């Protein structure tokens, strides 16, 4: 099979709260999956378990056939750095770094020499409509522009999977749609999978598939028939 | 102003808000303790100057010069006593010997520390001298002071453990009439005085000026640091306050509450700092300056000054808080965007140069006030230029960085050069002096000294006679020595192998041989020069230590607050797999790079400037002390940064970081 990321029977509780209760989800190569559901239903928890940010209480997560949920924190951290990309709602850019260095940072963390890292980072600005924004600092960018810089940063390491938790949550409707389009297009163009948590059906509309989470269960669409 | 609401705000600030409060409290406590030290040091020198004034007689006007009693001379100008002083030596310590004679029939009021005016033939010793005289064989010390009558009180002493002898004499005794040697350091000629109050010596005044300079050196970075600490509370809260403002609190209420909060915390910090200083005072009293340590009571400023500081520090913190709050109050949408800071202008450098150029013009007179003002101004200007230089260092670091940690550190320095300058300013400002002094060696003085030889200055026509008397006295004491009259000096050679005990026996045998003159070795003659150099060095080490303490506290606080400021970003970076070590390394480099460049640079430049004055070997104790001080300082700065590592771990541990 060509599933890139597979979660099996994932369960997670916080004290009395059951956040995930046996979730199965498989994501195919190049696929974009939207995770929807009411607030508190466990969307973020699911994303965190899949991305190796959190260890599930039970269940397994496999990336390209390799089990990742039982790795040590150091290994998972390296995995997140090299194989995954992340886009969060806001506040993920370092305020003192110019946009291009924010994008180049993950490359530099992977020992790419700085000049090359920055050159590679710059290549992302044009396609994402950020021309001329290379040396601006996050405080000098609009919310939508900052999110596009974050998208560039998530993709610059050529990850296998991009995780996005409400990436357009802090943006207005139009900017949100535009940002989402860029996120999906750029991810696909790179051959990466995309997993997006969102409240917005329009945003979900950009994806290939939508799964619904309710009280820690998937309603439908987790594993393709 | 709603105090109840303030209190709830303080308590309800959450764990992170509370941490900010603790940081402010700690910072104010450190500032207060060091401020007390800087202020108290000045009072300590003043106390010494006052206590030792009685040994620096003020001649009565018009009486002494020609011995003619002018008509209409006021009663208080009437001479009641005659006073002379000189230094004697035992081992490598100096003894102050004060000769006193009453002029009238009635005994004048005694100097402080003496129960009554000493009658002719009576000797009063300081406690330490009495103890030493009892310890050493009589022919080495005690025999120099026959007729010991009592012990001097503390009010007469420059410092605990000082060696003093007060000798009562007849006013026409040779000691009180003979000319003294022209070496004014070793001896002061007899002077007729109207009272024994005296006045502070020039030396004491010089020390006071030096203490003032040291005080300014310590206080300027302290104030900068304390002010920054105050803004820390505000920074922690501006989001909360912006919310309050949005729900309709008036600017006055918002300011009132925050300032009240900052001041409550600052007062607690000031009290804590005072307690800490009280605990440290006995240790600080052990610092040797001017030949000895301090009375602990010298290190306490007067209650009025202490009270003033306890009021002023919270007020200053409150003021800083107001300044920090302006932004929130002006714009209810308080969460400011971070933008590229306006480049700091070269104008700052021009201002510094202008002030430095003006220094020689302004400091012509030697009044203490203007000197302090000028020095203060100069340091404030250095403070203006400092951040500018830090910014340049940051730019260079960022440009040359190839690793992420360096890049982050460089960008942080460019982003907020003031906070880095706060950390390193004291070290940068003191470094030059420290580097300069570490190379200067007391060897400058004793490179030519002859050991085992005593010399006494003698009026030219008496050398032969005095030499003969010296021979007899030494023979009676059983000391073998070659006595030679040389010009105006009688030299007593005891042989280069003579030990300290033999030298002291010879000194004792020769005591009083020439009234008012002390037999001294070459080392004795250099004693005070060496002491001044040692004092300046001790002072520098103290100021450098304080600077490093400020740097350590400041590094700790900057590290913690920068983590708190960026907790969301750091948290998200960690989620994205950024190793915390990189963030940690960046924070360390952020302090160490400017500290090394500016502090280390200042020390090296100082040492470089001292090189031409170096004679012979490098002064190894000086270098070792400096290296130790610098090593501990750097270690402290790194340690303070490392302390916030758990904080970094805890703020980034939350998998779903949100702005609180
Ligand atoms: N660190 C935590 N400690 C305790 N409970 C938690 C924690 N994280 C999540 N929860 C609980 O787990 C449940 C699922 O949370 P999760 O964040 O996954 O919801 P969500 O679907 O992302 O909600 P939203 O749309 O509001 O972001 C919630 O009931 C939440 O209160
Ligand atoms: Mg969520």
């Amino acid at each position: 099979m060509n599933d890139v990321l597979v979660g099996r029977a994932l369960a997670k509780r916080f004290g009395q709260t059951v956040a995930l209760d046996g979730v199965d989800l498989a994501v195919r190569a190049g696929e974009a999956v939207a995770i929807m559901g009411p607030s508190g239903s466990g969307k973020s928890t699911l994303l965190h378990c899949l991305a190796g940010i959190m260890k599930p209480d039970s269940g397994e997560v496999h990336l390209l056939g390799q089990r990742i949920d039982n790795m040590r924190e150091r290994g998972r951290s390296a995995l997140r750095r090299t194989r995954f990309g992340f886009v969060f709602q806001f506040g993920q850019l370092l305020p003192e770094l110019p946009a291009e260095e924010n994008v180049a940072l993950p490359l530099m963390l992977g020992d790419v020499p700085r000049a090359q890292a920055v050159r590679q980072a710059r290549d992302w600005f044009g396609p994402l409509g950020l021309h001329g924004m290379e040396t601006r600092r996050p405080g000098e960018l609009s919310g939508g522009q900052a999110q596009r810089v974050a998208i560039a940063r998530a993709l610059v390491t050529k990850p296998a999977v991009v995780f996005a938790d409400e990436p357009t949550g802090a943006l207005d409707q139009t900017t949100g749609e535009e940002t989402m389009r860029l996120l999906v297009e750029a991810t696909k163009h790179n051959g990466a999978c995309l997993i997006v948590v969102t409240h917005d059906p329009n945003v979900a509309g950009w994806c290939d598939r939508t799964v619904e989470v309710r009280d820690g269960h998937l309603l439908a669409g987790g594993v393709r028939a | 102003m709603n105090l109840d609401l303030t209190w709830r705000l303080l308590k309800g600030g959450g764990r992170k808000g509370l941490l900010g409060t603790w940081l402010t409290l700690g910072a104010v406590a450190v500032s207060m303790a060091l401020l007390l030290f800087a202020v108290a040091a000045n009072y300590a020198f003043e106390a010494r100057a006052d206590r030792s004034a009685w040994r620096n007689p003020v001649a009565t006007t018009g009486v002494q010069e020609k011995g003619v009693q002018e008509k209409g001379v006021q009663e208080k100008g009437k001479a009641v006593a005659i006073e002379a002083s000189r230094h004697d030596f035992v081992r490598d310590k100096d003894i102050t010997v004060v000769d006193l004679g009453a002029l009238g029939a009635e005994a004048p009021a005694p100097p402080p520390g003496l129960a009554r005016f000493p009658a002719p033939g009576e000797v009063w010793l300081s406690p330490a001298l009495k103890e030493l005289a009892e310890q050493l064989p009589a022919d080495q010390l005690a025999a120099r002071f026959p007729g010991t009558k009592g012990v001097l009180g503390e009010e007469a002493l420059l410092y605990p453990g000082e060696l003093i002898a007060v000798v009562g004499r007849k006013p026409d005794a040779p000691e009180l009439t003979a000319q003294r040697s022209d070496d004014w350091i070793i001896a002061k000629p007899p002077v007729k005085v109207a009272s024994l109050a005296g006045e502070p010596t020039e030396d004491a005044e010089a020390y006071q000026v030096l203490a003032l300079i040291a005080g300014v050196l310590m206080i300027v970075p302290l104030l900068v640091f304390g002010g920054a600490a105050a803004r820390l509370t505000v920074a922690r809260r501006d989001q909360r306050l912006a919310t309050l403002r949005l729900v309709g609190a008036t600017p006055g209420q918002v300011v009132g509450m925050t300032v009240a909060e900052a001041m409550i915390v600052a007062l607690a910090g000031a009290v804590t700092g005072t307690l800490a200083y009280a605990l440290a005072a006995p240790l600080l009293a052990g610092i040797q300056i001017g030949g000895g340590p301090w009375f602990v009571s010298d290190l306490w400023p007067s209650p009025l000054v202490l009270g003033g500081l306890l009021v002023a520090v919270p007020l200053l913190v409150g003021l800083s808080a107001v300044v920090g709050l302006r932004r929130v109050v002006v714009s209810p949408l308080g969460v400011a965007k971070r933008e590229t800071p306006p480049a700091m202008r070269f104008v700052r450098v021009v201002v510094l140069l202008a002030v430095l150029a003006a220094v020689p013009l302004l400091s012509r007179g030697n009044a203490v006030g203007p000197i302090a003002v000028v020095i203060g101004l100069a340091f404030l200007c250095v403070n203006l230029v400092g951040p500018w230089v830090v910014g340049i260092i940051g730019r260079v670091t960022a440009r040359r960085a190839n690793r992420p940690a360096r890049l982050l550190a460089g960008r942080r320095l460019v982003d907020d050069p003031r906070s880095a300058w706060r950390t390193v300013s004291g070290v940068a400002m003191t470094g030059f002096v420290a580097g300069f002094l570490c190379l200067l060696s007391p060897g400058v003085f004793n490179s030519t000294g002859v050991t085992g030889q005593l010399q006494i200055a003698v009026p030219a026509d008496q050398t032969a006679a005095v030499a003969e008397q010296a021979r007899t006295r030494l023979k009676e004491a059983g000391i073998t020595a070659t006595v030679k009259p040389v010009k105006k000096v009688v030299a007593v050679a005891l042989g280069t192998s003579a030990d300290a005990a033999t030298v002291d026996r010879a000194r004792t045998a020769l005591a009083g041989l020439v009234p008012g003159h002390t037999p001294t070795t070459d080392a004795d003659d250099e004693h005070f020069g060496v002491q001044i150099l040692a004092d300046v060095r001790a002072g520098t080490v103290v100021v450098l230590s304080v600077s490093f303490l400020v740097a350590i506290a400041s590094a700790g606080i900057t590290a913690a607050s920068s983590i708190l400021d960026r907790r969301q970003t750091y948290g998200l970076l960690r989620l994205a797999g950024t190793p915390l070590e990189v963030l940690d390394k960046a924070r360390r480099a952020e302090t160490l790079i400017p500290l090394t460049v500016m502090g280390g640079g200042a020390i090296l430049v100082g040492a470089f400037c001292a090189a031409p004055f170096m004679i012979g070997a490098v002064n190894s104790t000086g270098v070792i002390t400096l290296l130790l001080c610098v090593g501990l300082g750097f270690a402290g700065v790194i340690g303070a940064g490392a302390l916030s590592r758990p904080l970094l771990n805890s703020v980034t541990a939350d998998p779903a970081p949100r702005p609180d």
Side-chain angles (χ1 to χ4, degrees), chain A residues 6-10 21-26 46 60 209 211 218 221-223:
Chain A
V6 180
R8 283 201 201 107
L10 295 173
D21 189 9
V23 172
D24 292 294
L25 181 69
L46 174 58
E60 298 178 1
R209 183 154 71 98
V211 296
L218 285 203
V223 183

Side-chain angles (χ1 to χ4, degrees), chain B residues 427-454:
Chain B
V427 178
M429 290 203 271
T430 324
F432 177 81
V433 187
F436 190 87
L437 288 166
C438 89
L439 281 186
L440 278 197
S441 154
V444 170
F445 293 96
N446 60 21
S447 51
T448 56
V450 179
T451 52
Q453 175 166 315
L454 285 167

Side-chain angles (χ1 to χ4, degrees), chain A residues 14 17 19 37-46 166 199, chain B residues 654-655 658:
Chain A
F14 297 102
T17 319
S39 185
S41 56
K43 306 182 295 291
S44 297
T45 309
L46 174 58
E166 303 191 30
H199 282 293
Chain B
D654 183 1
R658 297 180 173 93

Side-chain angles (χ1 to χ4, degrees), chain A residues 193-211:
Chain A
C193 314
L194 175 65
I195 299 178
V196 192
V197 168
T198 182
H199 282 293
D200 185 346
N202 290 326
V203 165
W206 286 97
C207 299
D208 302 320
R209 183 154 71 98
T210 301
V211 296

Side-chain angles (χ1 to χ4, degrees), chain B residues 31 214-227 379-380 383 421-427 429-430 543 546-547 550-551 554:
Chain B
S31 302
V216 173
L217 265 170
M218 293 189 276
I219 288 172
V220 171
L222 265 179
L223 290 183
V224 176
F225 164 60
F379 283 127
L380 281 178
N383 255 319
W421 170 246
R422 222 145 48 216
T423 304
V424 306
S425 63
V427 178
M429 290 203 271
T430 324
V543 175
V546 169
S547 307
V550 174
S554 174

Side-chain angles (χ1 to χ4, degrees), chain B residues 285-581:
Chain B
I287 297 171
Q288 304 246 343
I289 286 189
W294 303 83
F295 291 110
V296 176
S297 58
D298 284 351
L299 290 180
W300 275 104
S302 66
L304 200 70
V305 173
L306 181 61
L309 283 177
L310 279 173
V311 172
V313 165
L315 277 180
L316 276 176
V317 168
L319 199 72
S320 272
V322 173
V323 175
L325 264 183
R326 219 177 29 196
R327 209 181 65 204
V328 185
V329 174
V330 170
S331 123
L333 296 171
V335 190
K337 284 191 150 197
R338 300 188 72 87
E339 280 152 22
T340 309
M344 254 175 287
R345 269 157 301 165
F346 187 67
V347 173
R348 293 181 167 219
V349 181
V350 177
V351 172
L352 172 74
L353 292 178
V355 169
L356 288 183
V359 168
L361 300 178
L362 284 170
S363 56
R364 281 270 165 71
N366 59 352
V368 169
I371 292 181
V373 170
V374 167
I375 294 169
L377 267 179
F379 283 127
L380 281 178
C381 289
V382 171
N383 255 319
L384 280 181
V385 175
W388 186 75
V389 179
V390 171
I392 291 178
I393 294 173
R395 223 154 286 155
V396 171
T397 309
R399 191 166 305 144
R400 300 191 35 200
N402 208 13
R403 315 283 317 150
R406 283 274 166 143
L407 179 64
L408 279 175
R411 292 287 180 222
R412 285 291 306 270
L413 289 177
V414 177
D415 185 49
D416 191 2
R418 276 181 201 87
S419 107
W421 170 246
R422 222 145 48 216
T423 304
V424 306
S425 63
V427 178
M429 290 203 271
T430 324
F432 177 81
V433 187
F436 190 87
L437 288 166
C438 89
L439 281 186
L440 278 197
S441 154
V444 170
F445 293 96
N446 60 21
S447 51
T448 56
V450 179
T451 52
Q453 175 166 315
L454 285 167
Q455 299 174 29
I456 320 173
V458 180
D461 53 338
Q462 297 171 20
T463 42
V466 169
E468 194 46 48
Q469 285 170 333
R471 277 187 203 107
T472 331
R473 285 197 183 196
L474 289 166
K475 204 174 191 178
E476 280 169 9
I479 303 165
T480 41
T482 336
V483 181
K484 263 195 305 207
V486 191
K487 285 184 199 157
K488 292 158 96 177
V489 169
V490 169
V492 178
L494 299 162
T496 44
S497 59
D499 61 0
T502 313
V503 174
D504 278 333
R505 277 167 59 217
R507 279 185 177 135
T508 310
L510 296 172
L513 177 63
V514 185
H517 291 206
T518 309
T520 56
T521 63
D522 281 353
D524 294 342
D525 293 339
E526 288 151 4
H527 182 85
F528 294 100
V530 171
Q531 183 177 305
I532 285 170
L533 196 59
D535 286 351
V536 175
R537 187 174 299 135
T540 313
V541 167
V542 167
V543 175
L544 197 62
S545 304
V546 169
S547 307
F548 266 120
L549 278 178
V550 174
I552 290 168
S554 174
I557 289 197
T558 310
S561 72
S562 87
I563 290 174
L564 289 175
D565 283 343
R566 290 165 173 68
R567 59 182 175 275
Q568 192 194 9
T569 306
Y570 282 172
L572 294 175
L573 281 176
R574 183 176 177 184
L575 294 196
T578 310
L580 285 187
E581 294 83 68

